[in-house]
């Protein structure tokens, strides 16, 4: 899916500023070791793209959000049951939603949204994997930018069945309707 992401970024966001870090970001390799093979490959490729400056900044990716250290910033990470606690070893932040909430990769390879107000990862914000998440985010941003018609991708969003895209009120598709 790497070549598809590159083609999508070139097609819809050729002039979008690229991610640049002004401060060092912690290495992703220790987290990659905790992921299933396909998820590790996807995150490693994404990490290379981000750190090289090839990734369009569609997710508020910055040195303060990418690889965010929740514990060092006195943040809890709770699962959707509000009792199971995660550590920084259990999530890898890949960016923000613009409202203080962080997109995180979980050790099973899924991507979810960590809500800063409740410090929780809700089940209805999850995506099957990083590739599906990036497909969704790129198309969401393209529709919002007016370079892609919602009708051209709405059925694709629905057929993928991703809670993070379909959740009423907070899903990406709800944001476009």
């Amino acid at each position: 899916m790497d070549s598809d992401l590159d083609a999508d970024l070139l097609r819809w966001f050729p002039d979008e500023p690229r991610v640049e870090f002004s401060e060092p970001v912690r290495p992703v390799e220790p987290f990659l070791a905790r992921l299933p093979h396909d998820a590790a490959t996807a995150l490693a490729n994404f990490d290379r793209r981000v750190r090289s400056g090839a990734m369009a900044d569609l997710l508020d990716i910055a040195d303060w959000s990418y690889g965010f250290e929740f514990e060092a910033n006195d943040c809890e990470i709770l699962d959707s049951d509000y009792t199971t606690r995660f550590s920084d070893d259990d999530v890898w932040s890949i960016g923000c939603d613009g409202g203080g909430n962080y997109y995180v990769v979980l050790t099973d390879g899924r991507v979810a949204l960590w809500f800063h107000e409740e410090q929780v990862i809700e089940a209805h914000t999850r995506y099957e994997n990083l590739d599906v998440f990036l497909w969704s985010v790129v198309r969401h941003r393209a529709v919002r930018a007016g370079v892609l018609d919602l009708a051209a991708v709405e059925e694709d969003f629905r057929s993928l069945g991703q809670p993070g895209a379909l959740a009423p009120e907070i899903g990406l598709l709800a944001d476009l309707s």
Side-chain angles (χ1 to χ4, degrees):
M1 293 209 66
D2 266 356
S3 61
D4 293 342
L5 178 57
D6 289 335
D8 290 344
L9 294 174
L10 185 60
R11 175 179 38 241
W12 295 315
F13 304 103
D15 300 322
E16 184 77 19
R18 297 311 196 226
V19 174
E20 291 183 30
F21 296 140
S22 58
E23 299 289 327
V25 175
R26 70 185 174 125
V28 72
E29 287 77 14
F31 187 74
L32 294 176
R34 301 198 64 196
L35 294 172
H37 176 72
D38 289 347
T41 299
L43 182 56
N45 290 337
F46 182 74
D47 185 72
R48 270 192 298 283
R49 180 179 278 108
V50 166
R51 291 178 196 264
S52 72
M55 181 66 194
D57 191 7
L58 304 178
L59 293 168
D60 284 339
I61 302 171
D63 47 34
W64 54 265
S65 66
Y66 191 76
F68 181 73
E69 296 182 73
F70 292 89
E71 293 165 2
N73 287 284
D74 294 323
C75 297
E76 285 188 292
I77 311 166
L78 300 172
D79 201 356
S80 58
D81 63 9
Y82 286 78
T83 57
T84 304
R85 295 182 188 280
F86 293 125
S87 73
D88 283 333
D89 293 336
D90 300 317
V91 300
W92 180 264
S93 171
I94 56 173
C96 289
D97 71 351
N101 304 315
Y102 286 74
Y103 291 108
V104 296
V105 177
L106 306 171
T107 56
D108 63 4
R110 291 182 296 166
V111 175
L113 191 63
W114 174 84
F115 289 97
H116 74 281
E117 291 176 1
E118 297 179 19
Q119 300 189 49
V120 68
I121 298 171
E122 291 287 1
H124 63 279
T125 67
R126 298 181 188 203
Y127 292 82
E128 180 179 321
N129 58 51
L130 184 58
D131 290 333
V132 171
F133 170 75
L134 292 171
W135 181 95
S136 301
V137 167
V138 168
R139 278 152 185 77
H140 172 262
R141 288 291 301 265
V143 170
R144 293 201 66 198
V147 294
L148 179 63
D149 185 36
L150 176 58
V153 292
E154 185 171 8
E155 185 54 38
D156 293 332
F157 270 108
R158 293 190 190 290
S159 68
L160 285 172
Q162 301 300 299
L166 301 178
E169 297 180 32
I170 65 165
L172 293 180
L173 195 54
D175 183 56
L176 297 174
S177 301

